[in-house]
Amino acid sequence: MVKIYTVISCSSCKKAKQWMELHHLEYEEVNLLTDNISRADYLQILSLTDNGTEEIISTRSRAYHRLQLDFEQLSLNELVEIFEKNRTLLRRPLILDNRRLQVGYNEDDIRKFLPREIRQVELTVATDKIKENLDEHLSKVD
């Protein structure tokens, strides 16, 4: 199942949830500020990053500027402890399942959470529309 880590006032979080609902995908919403987030949850997020902390830490957050840490030099335990005490450090939304992580909302990237068969159907429909438009355009040119 897809998990979406959000905060109430985040417009990108709202867009991600609306997109999931529009595509009839089940998801679990976790409020970064109020819900219980386990150590295992933080470790899962970290395990799915491509670039370590760089992609999941909000460098514009007050917590980031207040802490003034070199996050790349911290141990995993230290990092998790800092996240537990400073949840606003995390960018949002964080969207993940067991294999993938998306940071922020991007309509093209979020499609990776669609089941493969749905992605294939949508690709076929889009390809057919392009062919129709091209045929229509070419018939007007002739």
Side-chain angles (χ1 to χ4, degrees), residues 42-94:
Y42 289 114
L43 291 172
Q44 181 186 21
I45 292 167
L46 286 164
S47 73
L48 294 172
T49 63
D50 290 331
N51 300 317
T53 58
E54 183 179 311
E55 67 187 287
I56 62 170
I57 290 180
S58 173
T59 57
R60 294 187 293 176
S61 71
R62 288 186 191 133
Y64 178 83
H65 293 288
R66 183 181 38 127
L67 293 170
Q68 296 182 350
L69 295 170
D70 182 354
F71 288 92
E72 297 303 321
Q73 298 301 316
L74 298 173
S75 72
L76 205 51
N77 285 333
E78 291 170 324
L79 196 55
V80 169
E81 283 179 27
I82 288 169
F83 287 157
E84 289 173 334
K85 294 175 184 170
N86 301 279
R87 293 178 174 197
T88 59
L89 272 173
L90 294 171
R91 291 179 62 198
R92 49 215 174 250
L94 294 174

Side-chain angles (χ1 to χ4, degrees), residues 105-120:
Y105 173 76
N106 179 298
E107 191 166 349
D108 293 330
D109 292 343
I110 199 170
R111 302 183 79 62
K112 65 185 165 191
F113 292 102
L114 286 171
R116 184 178 307 265
E117 57 275 3
I118 293 174
R119 286 193 315 253
Q120 186 60 44

Side-chain angles (χ1 to χ4, degrees), residues 11 25 37-38 50 52 62 83:
S11 61
L25 296 176
I37 303 172
S38 72
D50 290 331
R62 288 186 191 133
F83 287 157

